[in-house]
Amino acid sequence: MPAEICNDYGADILRLWVVGSDYTTDLKLGPQILKGHVDVYLRIRNTLCFLLGNLNSFEDKDRVSTDKMSDLDLYILHRLAEVDKEVKSSLDSFDLHKMITTVHHLCNFDLSALYFDINKDNLYCNAPDGAKRLACQTVLHEVFECLVRWLAPVLCFTAEEAFLARKGLTFDDLEQSVHFEEFPEIPAEWKNDQIKSDIEKLLSVRRVVTGAIEVQRRDKVIRSSLEAKPVIYIEDADLKNLVDPATFAEFVITSAVEI
C-alpha cells in the first residue's frame, strides 16, 4: 500500500497523511482521505509557487526595513512569529498534526486569501523598484525562508525543490540543501500585538464588505469587486479612526470606499 501511494501520489503525500493523522485513534486510509491530504498539499505547493514567481528578481540588496512597511506587511511578520512559536512547540511535543495544520492555516487564510489577494495589483502593476512593491517582496522573502524550513521535515522533496529553485540550483547540486538549514531565528521586533489587534478589527469590517460584494456578484450586478464603491457605516469611533478611505479600498479590493 505505501509503495502504491508513492507511485500514484508521491512520497510527500504519504508523509502528509502520516503527520495529518490522529495516531491516538485507529488510523484510516482510503481514496477520499488521501484526496483531502492532496488538497492540503496543493494549497501549500501553490503558496510556494506564488512566492517563487514573485521573488524571481528579488535579491538581498532589495530588502527594506520594517519602518518602511505597511501595517498589513507588519501583520504578516507578526503571524510568522506566532506560527514559528506554534511550529516549534508542536514539534517539541511530537504533535505533528497540529504543526502541519498551523502551517496550512497560514498558507490558506493569512497568505492566499488575504495577503496575496490584496497585493496582486501591487506586485503585478507597480514599478519593480517601487517602495511598496519592495516592502511586499521583503515580506514574501521572509515567508518563503520560514516556510521551506518548517516544511522540510515533512514535505522533504517539495521543500527541497522550492529551496533549490529559489537559488537557481538543481538536485544535482549537492553542496546546498534545505536539509542542511536550521529553523529560522525570528526577530523580536516582528511580534507586534498592537498591529495584530488593529488588523483584526479591519478584517471584521472587510468580512462585511466582501460578503455584501459577493451578493452583488452572485446576482450579476457586478462582475468584479473593482467595479464596486461600497459605502461603509461605522458607529465605533475607535474603529472608524482605523479605517482610512485612502487605503481601505485596496484592503477590500474595490475601486474606492466611502465611510
Side-chain angles (χ1 to χ4, degrees):
M1 175 66 80
E4 292 177 9
I5 294 174
C6 289
N7 288 334
D8 293 341
Y9 298 97
D12 278 356
I13 298 297
L14 182 62
R15 293 189 180 97
L16 195 58
W17 168 75
V18 171
V19 300
S21 300
D22 182 2
Y23 61 83
T24 62
T25 63
D26 292 337
L27 297 182
K28 298 178 181 179
L29 181 59
Q32 286 303 114
I33 293 173
L34 283 174
K35 182 181 182 302
H37 291 296
V38 169
D39 291 342
V40 170
Y41 173 79
L42 289 176
R43 170 58 64 199
I44 293 173
R45 185 179 179 86
N46 288 342
T47 299
L48 291 172
C49 287
F50 183 91
L51 292 168
L52 286 170
N54 285 284
L55 290 171
N56 184 50
S57 60
F58 185 80
E59 301 176 5
D60 275 346
K61 64 179 178 61
D62 300 320
R63 297 172 70 173
V64 303
S65 57
T66 53
D67 62 329
K68 296 180 181 177
M69 293 181 179
S70 70
D71 284 356
L72 184 58
D73 295 331
L74 297 175
Y75 172 73
I76 296 300
L77 295 182
H78 173 86
R79 286 292 295 131
L80 289 180
E82 287 187 327
V83 171
D84 181 71
K85 183 178 179 180
E86 291 179 34
V87 165
K88 291 173 180 175
S89 174
S90 298
L91 291 177
D92 286 342
S93 60
F94 299 99
D95 191 347
L96 300 180
H97 175 74
K98 182 179 179 182
M99 173 263 187
I100 201 65
T101 300
T102 299
V103 174
H104 176 247
H105 188 281
L106 174 75
C107 293
N108 196 30
F109 296 101
D110 298 293
L111 297 178
S112 180
L114 179 65
Y115 193 65
F116 293 173
D117 200 29
I118 289 173
N119 274 290
K120 282 177 181 176
D121 284 350
N122 175 25
L123 291 166
Y124 300 161
C125 302
N126 285 341
D129 59 350
K132 188 176 178 181
R133 187 173 188 271
L134 289 178
C136 179
Q137 284 185 300
T138 301
V139 174
L140 296 183
H141 169 77
E142 301 295 356
V143 170
F144 180 84
E145 293 298 310
C146 289
L147 267 184
V148 290
R149 287 162 176 79
W150 292 333
L151 293 169
V154 179
L155 302 182
C156 308
F157 291 123
T158 302
E160 180 78 325
E161 182 183 13
F163 179 82
L164 295 177
R166 179 77 180 99
K167 294 182 176 293
L169 303 174
T170 69
F171 281 104
D172 295 327
D173 298 295
L174 301 179
E175 294 184 0
Q176 294 193 60
S177 169
V178 71
H179 303 294
F180 297 154
E181 301 289 319
E182 296 184 352
F183 274 9
E185 291 295 330
I186 301 297
E189 66 180 38
W190 287 10
K191 195 80 167 64
N192 193 323
D193 291 329
Q194 184 59 56
I195 287 291
K196 178 183 179 180
S197 175
D198 289 347
I199 292 296
E200 286 181 347
K201 290 176 183 176
L202 293 178
L203 287 174
S204 68
V205 181
R206 185 178 191 262
R207 282 190 289 271
V208 175
V209 174
T210 54
I213 289 173
E214 191 56 38
V215 171
Q216 297 296 302
R217 291 207 307 190
R218 183 194 63 201
D219 295 341
K220 302 190 185 311
V221 177
I222 59 174
R223 290 174 298 174
S224 164
S225 63
L226 289 172
E227 296 179 20
K229 179 189 175 183
V231 179
I232 307 169
Y233 299 88
I234 303 175
E235 294 183 353
D236 186 283
D238 291 336
L239 180 56
K240 189 173 182 179
N241 289 333
L242 281 177
V243 181
D244 180 2
T247 59
F248 198 70
E250 180 180 6
F251 197 70
V252 293
I253 317 178
T254 59
S255 59
V257 296
E258 180 181 340
I259 308 299

